[in-house]
Amino acid sequence: MPTFFCIVLSLLIICLSGRTVVVRAADEDLEQKVKVAFLLNFAKFTTWPEVFWPADKRDFLLVIVGDDPFGLALNGVEQKQIGGKTIRLQFAGTLAADLENCQLLFVSKSEAENLRGILSFTESKPIVTASDIEGFAAAGGIFEFKRKDDRLSFIINNSKARQNGIHINSSLLNLAVEVL
């Protein structure tokens, strides 16, 4: 827990001082921890339609489709909460029909060839999508991790978010390197 808190605190300080996070290519574990922290912050600064977020719903479902790129970086995530809901992780080798209840869907690079089908599945649904697949936001995803010159940042497809009934806080929009 203290490690995760330090990462989130560091991320907040970095975000307040600039738009990117420096990540060394050799430190893949750190990059994955930063991506997990970003995902949690994406969720904290996002509002879903109330019909999709009923008071009696106890879990915030974070689904990872495809290969798990995060590994140990996800440790402790299920002890966290988003909007008063306990985070529950679900791993899906491929897209499954029971994903209708997820709030945040991370699409692994292993699913690049299935991207069109996955984004079609989430079309007009209040599901926040995120990935590090190049061109993800332009293809209709909502959050795309972008890495350039050892810097990790993100692109937000706010048009798609609004189309799906999702509101992204302006503070988060201001931190993006690009907003579509």
Side-chain angles (χ1 to χ4, degrees):
M1 166 114 163
T3 303
F4 186 78
F5 176 75
C6 290
I7 290 171
V8 172
L9 182 60
S10 299
L11 214 142
L12 179 62
I13 291 168
I14 291 167
C15 287
L16 292 174
S17 64
R19 293 183 172 203
T20 58
V21 177
V22 176
V23 179
R24 300 288 167 228
D27 201 346
E28 184 69 23
D29 290 341
L30 175 60
E31 181 174 339
Q32 297 312 322
K33 288 178 183 178
V34 171
K35 285 180 181 178
V36 169
F38 269 157
L39 287 173
L40 297 179
N41 282 305
F42 293 164
K44 287 180 181 179
F45 289 95
T46 298
T47 305
W48 284 262
E50 285 200 32
V51 293
F52 192 69
W53 197 260
D56 63 340
K57 189 172 191 172
R58 288 183 243 157
D59 294 333
F60 177 94
L61 185 56
L62 166 57
V63 177
I64 298 169
V65 176
D67 296 340
D68 173 16
F70 302 114
L72 297 176
L74 291 169
N75 285 354
V77 167
E78 290 185 294
Q79 281 73 50
K80 305 287 179 207
Q81 290 191 342
I82 301 292
K85 314 287 184 188
T86 301
I87 298 172
R88 185 168 55 93
L89 289 172
Q90 180 176 323
F91 298 91
T94 58
L95 197 61
D98 63 338
L99 300 183
E100 296 260 350
N101 294 317
C102 85
Q103 285 78 35
L104 180 56
L105 178 67
F106 181 83
V107 183
S108 178
K109 285 183 179 178
S110 66
E111 297 302 303
E113 290 192 18
N114 301 321
L115 187 58
R116 182 175 294 186
I118 292 168
L119 293 176
S120 173
F121 173 82
T122 63
E123 185 74 30
S124 300
K125 293 182 179 118
I127 298 173
V128 172
T129 55
S131 183
D132 49 8
I133 296 172
E134 189 168 338
F136 182 76
I142 296 176
F143 289 100
E144 177 185 339
F145 289 112
K146 192 77 174 167
R147 188 161 186 224
K148 183 178 179 188
D149 300 326
D150 289 335
R151 295 187 182 275
L152 183 62
S153 55
F154 54 92
I155 298 169
I156 300 175
N157 186 336
N158 195 40
S159 297
K160 179 55 76 176
R162 286 192 317 247
Q163 181 182 354
N164 290 1
I166 296 165
H167 177 267
I168 299 172
N169 185 293
S170 61
S171 298
L172 189 55
L173 291 169
N174 289 332
L175 292 175
V177 293
E178 185 178 352
V179 177
L180 306 176

